[in-house]
Amino acid sequence: PEVYQLDAVRARLDGDQNEALELTKAAYEKAPSTRNMLVLAHQHWSMGKKELSWDLLRGWVEKHPKDVLARLELADMYMGKGDEGEAADQYAKVLEAQNDNTLALNNLAWLWRDKKPEIALKYAEQAAEQSKDSPLALDTLAVVLLKNNEPAKAQRTIDRALEKSPDNPSIKYHHAMINAAAGEKAKAKKYLKELLSGEKEFPERQEAEALLKTL
């Protein structure tokens, strides 16, 4: 199977996706491991055969419910699809199998920030601690703190996130959003104007534009 996967890499580099698909299938059939399954699922996805990718991954998780790596991949696919409910369900199942999984803790905290803010805060705090205060974990924690009506703590936390990742536009937007919610509208307006003056796209651009109009 290792040789098949190496040949599949060669085929991709040569632009022959059909050969790469046959080789990844052969690797998976010879050794049906998580890794080989994920490579095959990715190959289907890259060729536009998204339903086959979904079917393969869902089927694997049904047969191997404690496979954390596969569940995280499935959750990520649901996130990309915009199905936050299914994604949250997958992250929750990851935590049932591995209660200290930092990625699942952080992402579930984000997904539950509105529906279950108190539980989300517990998860966000644990994720930030385990990740040694990574900027993305601090960003999640700051927003979750705001949802728990703790604007002062949210401000301090988002300041730390921005210090660690000053060029991240999503963190910049959350920084402005939290300051606006804390009553510092002039400060928020300044940061939003700076953020929106750039041409770099980011997921919250529309929300940032809408927020700016209210200040």
Side-chain angles (χ1 to χ4, degrees), residues 7-123:
D7 277 345
V9 172
R10 174 198 51 76
R12 289 189 204 97
L13 292 173
D14 290 341
D16 193 338
Q17 295 297 330
N18 288 322
E19 184 184 4
L21 177 60
E22 291 306 312
L23 288 164
T24 53
K25 280 182 180 177
Y28 176 63
E29 289 168 3
K30 192 167 186 67
S33 64
T34 303
R35 176 184 177 277
N36 289 335
M37 180 276 297
L38 290 175
V39 173
L40 179 55
H42 290 161
Q43 184 64 40
H44 281 310
W45 191 273
S46 69
M47 295 176 69
K49 301 178 180 181
K50 295 185 177 181
E51 283 305 315
L52 290 177
S53 185
W54 278 107
D55 290 345
L56 181 61
L57 197 49
R58 287 193 192 109
W60 180 272
V61 168
E62 286 178 9
K63 291 180 181 178
H64 308 275
K66 293 185 179 181
D67 190 327
V68 167
L69 189 60
R71 277 205 186 277
L72 287 173
E73 184 72 17
L74 185 57
D76 188 54
M77 287 174 67
Y78 278 122
M79 287 284 279
K81 188 181 178 183
D83 193 337
E84 294 191 350
E86 285 290 347
D89 184 57
Q90 294 303 320
Y91 287 126
K93 287 177 179 176
V94 167
L95 292 178
E96 288 176 9
Q98 194 178 85
N99 63 11
D100 61 348
N101 186 284
T102 304
L103 180 62
L105 286 166
N106 182 76
N107 290 359
L108 192 54
W110 179 259
L111 292 171
W112 280 357
R113 66 192 185 281
D114 290 313
K115 295 180 179 178
K116 303 178 182 180
E118 292 181 0
I119 299 175
L121 180 56
K122 176 184 174 184
Y123 287 168

